[in-house]
Amino acid sequence: MIRADLSSWCRAVAAGTALLLGAGAQAGFPEKPLTLVVGFSAGGGVDVVGRTIAQGLSLQLKQSVLVDNKTGASGAIAAQFVKRAAPDGYTLLMAPTTSYVMSEKMVGAEAAGYEIAKDFKPVATVGELPLVMLVSKQSGIASYADLAAQARKTPGKLAYGSSGNGSTEHIVTEWFRQQAGIDLLHVPYRGSAPAMADLFAGEIQIMLTTSPTALTNLATGRVAAVGVASAKRLSVMPDVPTFAEQGLPQFLASSVYAVLAPKGTPDDVVAALNTALNQALNDDATQRRFAQLGVQVVHSTPAQARDLLQQESTKWERVVQPIRAASR
């Protein structure tokens, strides 16, 4: 009887010890620095948002969060890297999910090397960056009405730049062109920087870009903004009207940004990261920086981030299908 009681007591102690060790392991995350992988060049919109997120996340987790720029192939190199990373929460992707969805739908998952809604586990949606249409000062365009009038007068002559076929600039401008009922010439570049350089020079006339990039380039005085593809005007660009105000009520487009982990990352690790990210987004410094960039802060649970990613995938697949068909 005594041996039986002793055996039961030992089993209870062992079980309790296992629970304590398990709780300690969860509470110990993170035990080393994290890496936030950015698939786009330093100084661009994705990089600036990523560095702001990394700084806030580091403060909340009390660990270093390193930003690693792995550029190329419209962000695919970074996505493939994180897809292959250990699913332990220490390697994360700063994902402009709108851009990733468009690229994948344009070329196919096999060519892209990832399937964004299946190969990753959303940690949190962190922001939305409304898209702004810039025009060259040399174009003489000052409004959407001017742009539409010129395009109708000389069909296919006004040129818009993008960072490549299947990029956000390409897909969204094609969607804009369809809604406006005008004919524009697409000029793809190897990245947004050379496209912007040609916009400055007047070699192309139009370019859609995110609000942080738009603000940076508007400061040069060599481009002008003719419209914002958001429901209301941006506080950082109060004089730039929305396209809805100018007669295109359905033209609403923003670049959604999220932090993604490799598929298979444990739920408790994702939950810890989600809590830290939402706390970072509530920080005054983060909110001030996002406001300066024209980034709209988004708070979400992992489930809400997953649902939004799926919605983005469904929405842009419908837009991409006719563009992909026309390019064949």
Side-chain angles (χ1 to χ4, degrees):
M1 183 73 175
I2 293 174
R3 282 196 299 270
D5 289 344
L6 183 60
S7 177
S8 297
W9 179 81
C10 288
R11 285 197 300 270
V13 170
T17 301
L19 286 171
L20 286 172
L21 287 173
Q26 292 175 12
F29 177 85
E31 297 177 325
K32 61 181 181 179
L34 289 76
T35 299
L36 184 64
V37 181
V38 175
F40 301 85
S41 59
V46 184
D47 179 71
V48 172
V49 172
R51 290 180 187 277
T52 304
I53 288 293
Q55 185 176 11
L57 194 57
S58 177
L59 290 172
Q60 296 300 324
L61 293 175
K62 306 296 189 290
Q63 274 286 2
S64 298
V65 180
L66 309 175
V67 174
D68 184 6
N69 294 85
K70 292 189 178 298
T71 62
S74 298
I77 290 173
Q80 293 165 14
F81 178 83
V82 176
K83 173 187 170 181
R84 296 191 300 266
D88 55 11
Y90 287 97
T91 304
L92 305 169
L93 179 66
M94 183 69 243
T97 54
T98 306
S99 176
Y100 276 125
V101 163
M102 289 175 177
S103 293
E104 175 201 325
K105 300 303 180 186
M106 189 71 180
V107 303
E110 185 176 352
Y114 62 85
E115 195 166 354
I116 201 74
K118 292 184 178 180
D119 292 332
F120 299 91
K121 196 166 187 175
V123 175
T125 304
V126 296
E128 289 192 23
L129 284 71
L131 296 177
V132 181
M133 184 169 285
L134 300 180
V135 293
S136 168
K137 280 287 185 72
Q138 298 178 42
S139 69
I141 297 169
S143 66
Y144 164 61
D146 289 345
L147 189 158
Q150 278 202 37
R152 291 189 177 105
K153 185 177 179 180
T154 56
K157 296 296 184 182
L158 283 181
Y160 74 89
S162 79
S163 55
N165 288 314
S167 64
T168 301
E169 303 99 333
H170 174 210
I171 302 302
V172 179
T173 310
E174 281 298 301
W175 191 41
F176 163 81
R177 185 188 64 76
Q178 291 166 16
Q179 290 193 40
I182 56 178
D183 188 12
L184 301 174
L185 174 65
H186 176 216
V187 183
Y189 290 81
R190 287 190 162 188
S192 59
M196 193 63 68
D198 272 6
L199 188 70
F200 283 175
E203 296 295 326
I204 58 174
Q205 291 73 47
I206 305 161
M207 189 168 173
L208 264 172
T209 189
T210 58
S211 47
T213 304
L215 285 166
T216 298
N217 289 286
L218 284 167
T220 67
R222 300 174 72 179
V223 294
V226 297
V228 182
S230 55
K232 58 182 181 180
R233 295 191 185 197
L234 302 182
S235 59
V236 289
M237 301 180 195
D239 297 329
V240 181
T242 67
F243 282 101
E245 291 177 68
Q246 301 180 79
L248 279 184
Q250 301 304 313
F251 186 56
L252 298 170
S254 60
S255 185
V256 177
Y257 280 26
V259 174
L260 307 180
K263 181 178 66 175
T265 302
D267 289 342
D268 59 336
V269 171
V270 169
L273 288 166
N274 177 269
T275 298
L277 279 166
N278 279 301
Q279 289 171 342
L281 291 170
N282 282 329
D283 183 75
D284 288 344
T286 301
Q287 295 209 350
R288 280 197 303 272
R289 183 59 175 146
F290 273 23
Q292 290 167 354
L293 296 169
V295 179
Q296 299 170 348
V297 174
V298 177
H299 293 88
S300 75
T301 64
Q304 289 169 334
R306 182 194 63 230
D307 290 346
L308 182 55
L309 179 57
Q310 189 57 58
Q311 290 168 20
E312 284 283 285
S313 183
T314 301
K315 171 185 175 179
W316 291 111
E317 183 170 22
R318 289 196 298 266
V319 175
V320 166
Q321 280 178 344
I323 299 171
R324 185 176 58 205
S327 66
R328 288 176 177 170

